[in-house]
Amino acid sequence: MIVVVLVLVVTMFLGVPIAFSLAGASIVGFLISGTSLMALGQQLTMGIAKYSLLPLPFFIFSGYLMGQGGISRRLIKVVQAYTGHRTGGVAMVTIISCMIFAAVSGSSSATTAAIGSILIPAMLERKYDRAFAGSVTAVAAELGMIIPPSISMIIYGVITETSIAKLFMAGFLPGIFIGLTLMAVSYVLCRKKGYSGSEKATKEEKHKALKDSWLALLMPIVVLGGIYTGIFTATESSVVAVVYAIIVGTFVYKEISWEKFKKSAIDTLTTSGMIMMVIACATAFSFLLTREQIPQNVAIAFSTIAPNSGVFLMLTILLLTLTGMFFDSTSAVTVLAGILTPVAIAFGINPIHFGVIMIVNMAIGCVTPPVGVNLFVACKLGDIQMEKMFKELVPFWIILLIDLIVIAFVPQLSLFLPSLMH
């Protein structure tokens, strides 16, 4: 098994895509153990032949359609009208817009691109420091992984066989909590830097912005409200999100042309195919780990090192923080969820709560170098050198780690809403 792990680690550090790294390590493992490669094919198929994976491509599709259909732009416009005049107004608009967009996109990188393409230039126009503008956008966009629907939560739910609907419910309050703390830090920093708000919108301008965007604001309410009230399942809600985005973007806002629709579909197929391949290969790799009793051995090792659940959580946070610095969230969740979750359950930690901890931890990884995907997207949008962002990112990294520890040790923040579900 040591050879298999070495193959995985070496290929990943060489820059081989995670799916191929997992596939290569799995093939080596099957060959060493003398297991027929037919079993490998069966594991690959079993990994993606799951009903619970159906929401994933639909939520990705709805996110692309939102961007093409003008929904994200209208969300930003209404937030700007109501909060843009306050100290650090555009920064506040960025964070609130990311929170709203996260409620229908499911991806932190998609949120960075959609919101950042509009608001980073807006901050630069207001004389915000370029590095600060990129930092605020990248950090706020990590909420795309936490506030439901979250693609990473779907992956976690599939791998650990945890209710995706309850995971969605569990991410809601932690996402709002993180958003509020980010707003507080941004306000203090903007006040210190002297970033004033824009001119206060008149009642007529606020009314017009609300009138133009009420259908966009209604989208997360329809999608998430349907899940939480039991009107439809997480899978059905993903289809509702797509249909809603098509109807509003095509017939109301009239911004989705055939070319834009086709581009959204192609982007969705590319992204979904990549994620599905990772999950399929990870299933085969997990099969090897389970057969070699790696999760059980990890549990024994953790129980030896960690005398209680509190120490286990701190060790897990340290491990996931380091992992998030070097690997993308999909890879990390796919590989580690199946190993760490049984250990967490053995320590008496609710798997839904643990899932939120893992997703929040991986979301922080999206804004930490050297592989923080949100940082790369923000740098590209704002023409920013990443190393210049690090000083601006420090206060946000500190508050995010504090938020993570609070979420880890106050389980009711994650479990209160799921407890209301029957």
Side-chain angles (χ1 to χ4, degrees), residues 245-289:
I246 290 173
I247 291 174
V248 173
T250 305
F251 301 107
V252 181
Y253 297 153
K254 298 180 180 179
E255 293 194 25
I256 298 181
S257 62
W258 170 245
E259 288 301 318
K260 288 183 176 181
F261 180 86
K262 189 165 65 173
K263 183 181 185 304
S264 297
I266 292 171
D267 289 344
T268 299
L269 290 171
T270 303
T271 305
S272 301
M274 176 189 69
I275 294 174
M276 291 292 190
M277 192 168 180
V278 171
I279 293 173
C281 295
T283 301
F285 187 73
S286 297
F287 171 79
L288 286 174
L289 294 177

Side-chain angles (χ1 to χ4, degrees), residues 77-100:
K77 190 175 180 180
V78 71
V79 176
Q80 173 72 34
Y82 281 87
T83 64
H85 62 282
R86 302 184 182 280
T87 299
V90 189
M92 297 297 172
V93 170
T94 301
I95 296 170
I96 297 171
S97 298
C98 284
M99 292 172 71
I100 298 173

Side-chain angles (χ1 to χ4, degrees), residues 45 154 224 292 321 384:
T45 305
I154 294 173
L224 299 178
E292 295 296 323
T321 300
I384 308 163

Side-chain angles (χ1 to χ4, degrees), residues 12-13 321-328 365 368-372:
M12 289 178 72
F13 272 106
T321 300
L322 293 172
T323 303
M325 291 175 67
F326 295 98
F327 303 107
D328 67 275
T368 52
V371 191

Side-chain angles (χ1 to χ4, degrees), residues 147-213:
I147 295 177
S150 163
I151 293 169
S152 296
M153 283 184 179
I154 294 173
I155 295 171
Y156 175 89
V158 169
I159 291 173
T160 62
E161 298 183 353
T162 305
S163 168
I164 293 173
K166 288 188 177 181
L167 282 168
F168 281 1
M169 187 75 90
F172 199 68
L173 291 181
I176 293 175
F177 170 65
I178 293 172
L180 292 174
T181 59
L182 290 177
M183 289 173 65
V185 171
S186 294
Y187 176 82
V188 172
L189 293 175
C190 287
R191 189 169 183 177
K192 182 179 178 182
K193 293 173 182 288
Y195 297 150
S196 60
S198 57
E199 187 177 339
K200 189 172 183 179
T202 63
K203 288 185 179 180
E204 291 75 17
E205 289 172 333
K206 289 180 180 179
H207 178 72
K208 185 178 184 302
L210 191 59
K211 183 180 178 181
D212 289 343
S213 61

Side-chain angles (χ1 to χ4, degrees), residues 38-84:
M38 289 182 64
L40 174 61
Q42 291 174 342
Q43 291 299 319
L44 292 173
T45 305
M46 288 172 58
I48 56 176
K50 295 178 179 178
Y51 177 80
S52 51
L53 276 174
L54 282 177
L56 194 147
F58 288 105
F59 278 129
I60 294 172
F61 194 23
S62 69
Y64 282 123
L65 289 170
M66 279 183 62
Q68 297 289 351
I71 293 176
S72 55
R73 190 175 69 254
R74 285 171 172 81
L75 289 175
I76 292 171
K77 190 175 180 180
V78 71
V79 176
Q80 173 72 34
Y82 281 87
T83 64

